[in-house]
Amino acid sequence: MGTQTITNETRMAAPLPARQAILAELSALVAEALRVPAADLNVNAPFLEMGADSIVLIDLLRKVGARYPVKLSVRQFFEELATLDALATFLAEQKPVAPLPPEPLTAPLPTPHPQRAPLPIAAPPIATEAAGSLERILAQQLQVVSQVISEQLAFLASSDMQTIAEADTTEVAADSAQPAPQPAPPQPAPPQPAPPQPAPIVTPFAKPQITESAATNTLTHTQQHYLHTFIARYTARTPHSKAWVQNYRPILADNRASAGFRPSIKEMLYPLVAERSQGSHLWDIDGNDYVDIAMGFGVHLFGHQPPMVVRALENQLHQGFQLGPQSSLAGQVAQLIHDLTGMERIAFNNSGTEAVMTALRLARTVTGRSKIATFAGSYHGHYDGTLAAPNPQQLDGWAAPMAPGVTHNAVADILVLPAYGDIAMLEILRAHAHELAAVVVEPVQSRRPDLQPVEFLRELRRLTHDLGILLMFDEVITGFRVHPGGAQALFGIQADLVTYGKVVGGGLPIGVVAGKASVLDALDGGMWRFGDASYPPADTTFFAGTFCKHPLTMASAHAVLTFMKEQGAELQATLNRRTAQLAATVNAFFAEEQVPIQVAHFGSLFYFRFKGNMDLFFYHLVEKGLYLWEGRTCFLSTAHSDADLEQIVQAIQNAVFDLQKGGFFTRPPR
Ligand code: PMP
């Protein structure tokens, strides 16, 4: 195993100051990853029960590996180093091999200098007698960590129970209170519109986590008892799904069947298996009826089996789904996308991931530059070249691989800027302008729908235009959902390059790359005509895909887009209003019951915002007849009736009442 067993003796033998400093640092790292105040962490609770999932553990592994002379494996976090206490003791016992520089844990500040010049950190290093020793290094780190912890606590304390709108202003207050000295910018800063939001970044893979009581892993007798009976109730409702998952686990490798694994909820940890669906409802193989609020991760804008899509597919099935010749509908689908979005040219892929991959290749081709800037908290699919995480050791944004198997080289050309919506990020972009092919944004990040930085996007549009950098909107979720023309139309901002997916395929796999002809021409050489001397004038790159423009997908997309064009923008506007109304109702209830959850929304996307681990809350929603997926992004469709909305509210209320009875939420005095 290569790891010492942690015993009480070794624990006692650990040098105390070093151990405490390590513990403080580790607590800050874990608190940051789990989005809970460090003070709420129980150092004796297993990481998994605190809410860490495998991605959080891998991140922790990387950060620990960067700071301490040890090589750990994730497996050790499941076993002998499963708690903060055990890990701190273990690290304190290690001999330092080389002094490590203190490393700021906060989001990096913009540098006015090009290239990878490190920035001054907030806290000056402390000189101690034990210069060069682990203690000195740790003392330096502790000073930085203490500052980070106090900033995080200030933020969490101020934003915890407020409405989302209020949280925006308090976050600003917390941010402006930061004492960190910053390098003077070379130019006077442009007017500062929407201020930065220092809210913790949500990565697409970070699981939402743990209630305070669960975080301590010290459930009261009432809680233990309730959890036990709830698990029995939940599993009795869904035995066929559970058996199905177990039966196929040996052969079906499925990350969704283990996502969010932790021992306390292990017996309920299985995806529901669907039997059928209709409109806003679906049924599992145990015959349970659910109001679906996952809606195919945002695909099914018109509900399940929308009649126009079913008709188009039946029709196409009779015509065949031949691959090779052109789909007779591809041109019309491109025309409809052009009509609805204003994009000049359109190309088709099979998924959002593929569309993003193609778009980046196009951007690099037409600009002749290699770097791409993205923002922390955005998700752009699972192509290696975008699986990039902010790198705390590269202070001006250069990325680190997000997951094992993604090489440093795969993300070497990605700059992940730490603070989406922060006008200060523009200075970083300016510094890298000479090498940037594109800046890619998810205009409203799906895990932070309340962050709608329109002013920032306008500034970004101006800057990228002036500097000759392509602005790319990844509208895989927002496209056709928030408005027929997506976030571009809603915000009145035109990007150079846009990716779509999900809604536009009507339930069949699709990705769309759209944008200026000058960019899309790199795909086919651009415009030429028969009967004259014209030829494809543009330089091209590689593009392919066996299933691109699949006849069934084209038929489905054609039906969806035709319907959308007929209905006009009021269709999305009405749905957006209904979603806002639902969020307001639910938020009023949460406030009344003093439940630390809020529903944030953008268009018809909504997301439960909370701190800690809310696994049990979500399991209760499922048990009350709502279907939602592990990533917890929720969507309303045009098929959701008033009765469905009422059922959603009821399920949320009943879940809260149950959790109050079980001792997981405190009941306010009546
Ligand atoms: N971009 C964004 C903004 C997304 O939300 C997603 C998927 N949710 C993707 C890209 C990847 O799309 P797909 O899952 O179809 O590959």
Side-chain angles (χ1 to χ4, degrees):
M1 289 203 302
T3 314
Q4 289 161 256
T5 309
I6 308 300
T7 62
N8 284 336
E9 287 71 30
T10 53
R11 210 167 277 164
M12 293 301 289
L16 202 59
R19 191 180 168 286
Q20 279 172 341
I22 292 171
L23 194 57
E25 177 175 51
L26 292 175
S27 299
L29 287 174
V30 172
E32 190 181 41
L34 298 181
R35 300 183 292 138
V36 296
D40 280 5
L41 296 176
N42 178 346
V43 297
N44 295 310
F47 293 121
L48 284 172
E49 293 303 332
M50 280 192 231
D53 62 7
S54 59
I55 295 293
V56 168
L57 292 180
I58 287 161
D59 194 44
L60 184 62
L61 201 68
R62 191 159 50 82
K63 286 173 175 162
V64 168
R67 286 172 156 72
Y68 300 96
V70 291
K71 186 154 173 42
L72 301 174
S73 72
V74 168
R75 185 199 50 74
Q76 289 173 282
F77 290 158
F78 280 75
E79 295 177 4
E80 68 272 20
L81 303 179
T83 65
L84 276 167
D85 186 71
L87 183 58
T89 303
F90 172 75
L91 291 175
E93 288 164 352
Q94 306 305 304
K95 297 261 180 305
V97 289
L100 294 165
E103 187 185 286
L105 298 169
T106 41
L109 299 166
T111 171
H113 307 297
Q115 304 306 328
R116 304 183 180 199
L119 293 156
I121 56 167
I126 306 166
T128 68
E129 288 160 56
S133 70
L134 183 60
E135 280 80 359
R136 182 184 63 82
I137 297 157
L138 291 166
Q140 291 173 347
Q141 292 177 347
L142 183 59
Q143 187 168 354
V144 177
V145 168
S146 314
Q147 185 194 342
V148 175
I149 292 173
S150 54
E151 284 166 12
Q152 287 179 339
L153 286 175
F155 162 68
L156 286 161
S158 64
S159 65
D160 201 7
M161 289 298 294
Q162 287 162 339
T163 65
I164 288 147
E166 285 167 343
D168 286 348
T169 39
T170 43
E171 283 163 7
V172 175
D175 188 56
S176 58
Q178 286 180 16
Q182 300 191 13
Q187 306 280 336
Q192 306 249 331
Q197 301 215 355
I201 299 302
V202 185
T203 75
F205 305 106
K207 288 261 119 200
Q209 304 319 332
I210 288 224
T211 57
E212 272 131 81
S213 48
T216 62
N217 198 32
T218 49
L219 297 186
T220 62
H221 180 72
T222 311
Q223 289 171 333
Q224 264 310 350
H225 177 73
Y226 180 78
L227 181 62
H228 192 72
T229 52
F230 177 73
I231 290 175
R233 204 160 82 213
Y234 185 95
T235 49
R237 230 176 97 86
T238 50
H240 287 96
S241 282
K242 185 169 182 173
W244 189 100
V245 172
Q246 189 59 36
N247 189 31
Y248 290 110
R249 200 189 312 279
I251 50 166
L252 181 60
D254 182 3
N255 60 335
R256 288 191 61 204
S258 328
F261 179 92
R262 53 195 113 268
S264 60
I265 54 161
K266 176 179 167 178
E267 291 305 316
M268 304 189 284
L269 195 99
Y270 47 91
L272 296 176
V273 183
E275 172 84 31
R276 67 191 173 92
S277 61
Q278 184 65 52
S280 55
H281 285 242
L282 55 81
W283 288 263
D284 68 14
I285 55 173
D286 286 290
N288 297 305
D289 176 359
Y290 299 88
V291 174
D292 186 358
I293 55 170
M295 293 317 279
F297 318 104
V299 165
H300 308 297
L301 180 68
F302 303 108
H304 297 286
Q305 318 244 41
M308 71 284 189
V309 172
V310 172
R311 265 197 311 276
L313 286 175
E314 282 171 354
N315 194 29
Q316 189 62 46
L317 276 175
H318 286 111
Q319 314 259 11
F321 40 96
Q322 51 286 340
L323 299 168
Q326 283 291 356
S327 148
S328 61
L329 289 171
Q332 293 173 52
V333 175
Q335 179 70 50
L336 284 161
I337 293 175
H338 165 81
D339 295 348
L340 290 172
T341 65
M343 295 292 93
E344 290 173 0
R345 300 196 74 202
I346 284 100
F348 297 104
N349 299 93
N350 304 296
S351 68
T353 298
E354 259 188 69
V356 169
M357 181 177 71
T358 303
L360 299 191
R361 195 182 306 138
L362 288 175
R364 287 169 168 143
T365 304
V366 300
T367 59
R369 301 175 190 153
S370 53
K371 310 297 184 197
I372 305 285
T374 65
F375 288 90
S378 293
Y379 177 58
H380 300 296
H382 55 92
Y383 152 57
D384 283 36
T386 55
L387 289 179
N391 184 350
Q393 286 165 324
Q394 294 289 351
L395 300 182
D396 55 357
W398 294 96
M402 184 193 279
V406 178
T407 63
H408 278 93
N409 281 347
V411 295
D413 286 323
I414 302 286
L415 190 71
V416 183
L417 304 186
Y420 183 54
D422 182 347
I423 215 83
M425 298 296 106
L426 301 186
E427 286 310 312
I428 302 183
L429 294 174
R430 196 185 289 283
H432 289 282
H434 60 287
E435 54 188 347
L436 280 175
V439 179
V440 182
V441 295
E442 206 186 338
V444 174
Q445 299 178 337
S446 58
R447 268 70 175 181
R448 299 178 68 191
D450 48 319
L451 175 57
Q452 298 162 21
V454 183
E455 248 337 289
F456 169 80
L457 287 170
R458 291 211 176 101
E459 291 290 336
L460 183 62
R461 175 65 286 186
R462 266 193 282 279
L463 182 91
T464 47
H465 177 268
D466 292 350
L467 298 176
I469 305 168
L470 297 178
L471 176 61
M472 176 174 146
F473 273 21
D474 181 349
E475 296 227 47
V476 167
I477 286 190
T478 53
F480 305 98
R481 172 171 287 278
V482 298
H483 185 281
Q488 286 194 101
L490 207 62
F491 296 161
I493 299 169
Q494 219 186 28
D496 303 303
L497 195 52
V498 185
T499 47
Y500 301 106
K502 298 199 189 260
V503 164
V504 67
L508 275 82
I510 197 167
V512 176
V513 188
K516 296 221 163 102
S518 55
V519 182
L520 271 286
D521 286 356
L523 214 147
D524 62 357
M527 189 62 192
W528 58 276
R529 286 173 194 79
F530 297 114
D532 61 16
S534 62
Y535 58 91
D539 288 343
T540 56
T541 181
F542 189 80
F543 178 72
T546 300
F547 296 107
C548 295
K549 298 174 282 175
H550 192 287
L552 289 172
T553 299
M554 290 297 110
S556 178
H558 183 260
V560 161
L561 291 164
T562 306
F563 183 75
M564 211 177 267
K565 198 172 170 191
E566 283 162 10
Q567 298 290 310
E570 193 47 35
L571 181 137
Q572 284 87 348
T574 306
L575 184 58
N576 296 350
R577 278 196 299 274
R578 298 185 82 214
T579 311
Q581 182 58 50
L582 174 70
T585 307
V586 172
N587 282 335
F589 169 76
F590 285 148
E592 197 179 314
E593 292 299 323
Q594 299 175 12
V595 172
I597 308 178
Q598 286 157 357
V599 173
H601 64 95
F602 174 58
S604 44
L605 157 79
F606 61 103
Y607 188 72
F608 291 91
R609 255 176 71 137
F610 49 85
K611 82 177 164 90
N613 179 343
M614 289 288 163
D615 281 350
L616 260 187
F617 172 70
F618 292 110
Y619 273 103
H620 274 72
L621 295 187
V622 175
E623 193 252 345
K624 308 285 173 216
L626 301 187
Y627 175 74
L628 65 170
W629 73 291
E630 315 84 63
R632 320 292 196 210
T633 46
C634 302
F635 299 89
L636 280 194
S637 75
T638 57
H640 284 91
S641 64
D642 287 348
D644 290 329
L645 298 195
E646 182 53 33
Q647 199 173 325
I648 294 170
V649 174
Q650 285 280 319
I652 292 169
Q653 293 183 342
N654 289 337
V656 167
F657 295 144
D658 277 6
L659 285 164
Q660 286 173 341
K661 273 187 228 131
F664 287 92
F665 287 147
T666 315
R667 226 187 188 140
R670 310 256 172 211

